[in-house]
Amino acid sequence: MAEDRKQETLESSETLPFIQKALVIPEKLKDSPEDETEKEEDNKDTACGFWIFRGPSMQRFATEQMYVILYGLAGCVMTMTFAYFNATITTLEKRYKIPTKITGIISVGNDISTMLTAALLGYYAGNGHRPRWMGIVSRLGLLTIVAFCLLTSSLHFLYGAGEDALKLTREFGQVNETLARQEKDKKLCQSSPGGCIQEVGQWVPQVFLFVAQLISGVGQALFYTLGIAYLDDNGTKSKTPAMLSMSSLLRMLGPAIGYSLAALCLRLYIEPTLEPLIGREDPRWLGAWWLGWLVLAAITLISALFLFMFPKELPSSRKRRLQLKQTERKMSLPLKERSFGDMMKTVRRLARNKVYVYNTFASILYFFGYMAYWIFTPKYIETQYRQSAATATMATGTVALGFSAAGVLISGYVISKYKPSARSMACWNAIVDFVTVAGILCYVAIGCEGSDRLNSLTTLSAGDSCSASCHCDYVHYAPVCSPENITYISACHAGCSERTKDALGRTIYTDCQCLGSSSLTTSESQFAVDGTCPVDCFNEFLVFLGVMCFLKLVGASSKSTNLLIALRCIPQEDKTFALGLGSMVASLLAFIPSPIFFGWLIDNYCLVWGKTCSSKGNCWLYDTESLRYALNFTAASFIFLGGFLNISVWYHAKDLKIFDEEKSPKSSSQNKELEMKSLNSKSQQN
């Protein structure tokens, strides 16, 4: 689906806040020689640029505002890659004959690696020096994404465009006319059973894609785990919503650009140098899915270089770190060590936090239900409304995501201006859940009767006893249209034994014995035209797109409110680990099982499989009506349950404070004096 809403919410759930606040000490300590050496190293760490691209003139860019921009743009590039993968899923299924449930398993590879690293990295890194961690791991994360892009695109260079795609080009017949004629004859009614279709190394592309996703998940965990936490701690709580909205807006551009890039690439044939004999609306069309990965690898590498220009640590963060170190030396307060036992105590403490538990599981249920649309929306549009892969991708990635961006901006403005309470935010999250359920139920009603009827008639033709005598079990999906406007899986299934060309150059199959009723069929009507019968579902597609954009707008508006509740419902010392743990649990219970479950559900409504010798291959045709009911009702059920958990969040969040109270300079100085006295008394007791 469009937005990679999966990616957006995933980012929010993986962001981990800074847990050590700076203490303002008016008195300075005399620096030791070791401190002087450390200061020299710190000056290097806070300087912009690298190698020869470093100087005082660039130091003015080492600001929190520039960090927000660079971090947002780097996140934009990262989300482009995930959106591009989702947009090309159907093409990958056709090219490498992958069932949808296997595609679901492949797509959760990044969630598996993220789950294994997020919580531990958040716990042990949270007590360390986060800015330096961020400077190192964010760059490494982007370079890992470069490897992900190159590994995915390498499949095309290893396996080529595929024999099925090459047979549908004009050059194929020109190079070998005899072989081309034999391939065309295989589509006709056969007097004896044909051999099954051999697929050499069919599992290797699936392993390649899964490993690439695992690598991308590592990069994602490295990049996002400490990012927004650093963002949250470099500003006051009142400014956090605006900063989160700006960062989210920049990242939201990524899915829009990624889907747009996919739409452009899929308009080109998988082998751009060859001339295809079919149009983009033909279900057999394979776009140049591999081309975009090369572009994404180059863009990601450039963004990594720009991030290398940014310092490992902001000067303001360095100042707080030095002040904290001086305070610890003066008061002789030992740093708290991290241990597994302490981590388990934190887990038990979080389990008793009702707001945290209910908010986490409400998000998990929402993620589980909406995951089907994040990943399979282009596929849904192609099958339900008979749109090309490029059109489905463009609608999902540009129009719909524009409404998501608007939702984030509007919510950020409203929250910053009116500063709603925690209960108001939880109430809005529940309302968004129930509105989403209503919108999904509208999806059930937005069907295309022509598409439903076409698929049912095609299924009847596949099971016809007449076509059984033609031995069509292993004939490639090559649809033909009869005069009765019935689509047959192939000329073989229509019982056609001859072919010819008409005045327009179209392929016409004649002497088709399985067309219509035998009592009404005449020799003049026993023909079929190459291609599926025309079906107009564009109006229904526009209605679906309108509802989807509305749900994007409403759903995105709850992103900031959900994140703020997650940031504020836990104490500072537990915040980093709590959000890391929430990310791990969300991956384990939602992000990983949901795509697999919905992939299995979609496969259950397949009508025509591309059979091979070793497996069923990919699905070419679905029972669109039954699939529409099953998919939407199932997804709505999970989100509906999540709405009730948000009501529980509303009930228990009555004492939760989201924003800092306004303080006068006088009261602020008094609070600092009281804080210093408290710290001095504690140090004396120790």
Side-chain angles (χ1 to χ4, degrees), residues 9 140 170 183 189 302 319 335 351 361 419 439 537 578 666:
T9 38
L140 178 60
R170 192 176 302 280
E183 290 296 330
C189 183
I302 293 173
K319 183 182 298 184
L335 290 175
F361 280 93
K419 294 181 173 57
C537 296
K666 183 177 180 180

Side-chain angles (χ1 to χ4, degrees), residues 385-387 391 448 535-545:
Y385 306 109
R386 300 286 172 176
Q387 301 300 310
T391 301
C448 180
V535 176
D536 185 10
C537 296
F538 191 70
N539 291 334
E540 290 83 354
F541 167 63
L542 292 180
V543 176
F544 171 83
L545 185 61

Side-chain angles (χ1 to χ4, degrees), residues 10 14 108-121 217-218 220-221 580-581 583-589 591-593:
L10 182 59
E14 292 169 349
V108 301
N110 64 81
D111 296 301
I112 294 175
S113 52
T114 299
M115 179 193 70
L116 296 176
T117 56
L120 292 177
L121 181 62
V218 173
Q220 176 179 271
L581 179 65
S583 173
M584 185 184 70
V585 174
S587 295
L588 184 63
L589 300 181
F591 293 133
I592 292 176

Side-chain angles (χ1 to χ4, degrees), residues 77-134:
V77 174
M78 187 170 292
T79 55
M80 284 171 59
T81 61
F82 295 103
Y84 188 87
F85 178 81
N86 288 342
T88 55
I89 276 181
T90 54
T91 303
L92 291 172
E93 289 179 356
K94 295 175 185 177
R95 169 60 189 91
Y96 298 106
K97 297 179 174 54
I98 306 175
T100 305
K101 62 182 178 182
I102 301 299
T103 305
I105 295 175
I106 292 172
S107 65
V108 301
N110 64 81
D111 296 301
I112 294 175
S113 52
T114 299
M115 179 193 70
L116 296 176
T117 56
L120 292 177
L121 181 62
Y123 183 76
Y124 289 103
N127 199 38
H129 183 47
R130 182 166 22 227
R132 290 184 177 178
W133 273 82
M134 186 60 201

